[in-house]
Amino acid sequence: MSQKNYKMINGRLSQTDKHFSQLKQKQKEKISEWLYQQYAHIYDKVGKPPNSKRNIEILSVVYDKIEEAEIWISFYEVEKYFYSRKHRFQTRYEKAHNTEQEQ
């Protein structure tokens, strides 16, 4: 059985090692949108889907935003979520850009 980690923040006890599924829906959506926006930014900049080096860049930028928003989740959980959604981000990006080109 694992030991949970807690920190006292603003007079409240917060769990710092949450799983992605334990976040509130708004937090999940916010993180997902940040990941997609950064993915799309890198895709535009490079002209092709991000490679492993660029993936770390995406995760670092988004994790900084997560820390600023004071969402308590580990980097590993965000990384795991990103890699599980990466193909969907690529499909969404390509679909959005194909419709733009057709118009």
Side-chain angles (χ1 to χ4, degrees):
M1 198 159 148
S2 68
Q3 183 76 17
K4 293 185 179 178
N5 294 320
Y6 292 91
K7 285 186 180 176
M8 187 64 80
I9 300 155
N10 296 331
R12 294 175 48 146
L13 200 57
S14 294
Q15 183 180 350
T16 60
D17 60 346
K18 292 180 183 174
H19 293 284
F20 196 84
S21 62
Q22 293 175 311
L23 295 176
K24 295 176 183 173
Q25 188 63 33
K26 275 185 156 181
Q27 292 172 326
K28 292 179 194 178
E29 290 169 1
K30 197 180 288 189
I31 292 170
S32 183
E33 191 56 32
W34 286 336
L35 286 168
Y36 174 72
Q37 288 171 354
Q38 194 61 30
Y39 180 90
H41 173 73
I42 297 294
Y43 203 131
D44 286 339
K45 189 168 116 178
V46 177
K48 60 183 181 178
N51 59 16
S52 59
K53 179 183 170 190
R54 301 287 184 181
N55 290 340
I56 299 300
E57 183 182 331
I58 291 168
L59 288 165
S60 296
V61 169
V62 171
Y63 198 73
D64 288 343
K65 289 182 181 182
I66 290 169
E67 287 181 333
E68 284 177 23
E70 296 182 355
I71 299 172
W72 298 100
I73 187 165
S74 69
F75 185 85
Y76 170 74
E77 285 293 321
V78 176
E79 181 180 36
K80 191 167 73 169
Y81 177 76
F82 173 69
Y83 287 119
S84 74
R85 303 287 296 190
K86 188 176 174 190
H87 181 71
R88 291 182 185 164
F89 291 154
Q90 181 178 353
T91 304
R92 178 179 164 188
Y93 177 86
E94 290 171 353
K95 185 177 179 182
H97 281 66
N98 285 339
T99 56
E100 284 179 8
Q101 291 174 356
E102 291 173 2
Q103 294 176 353

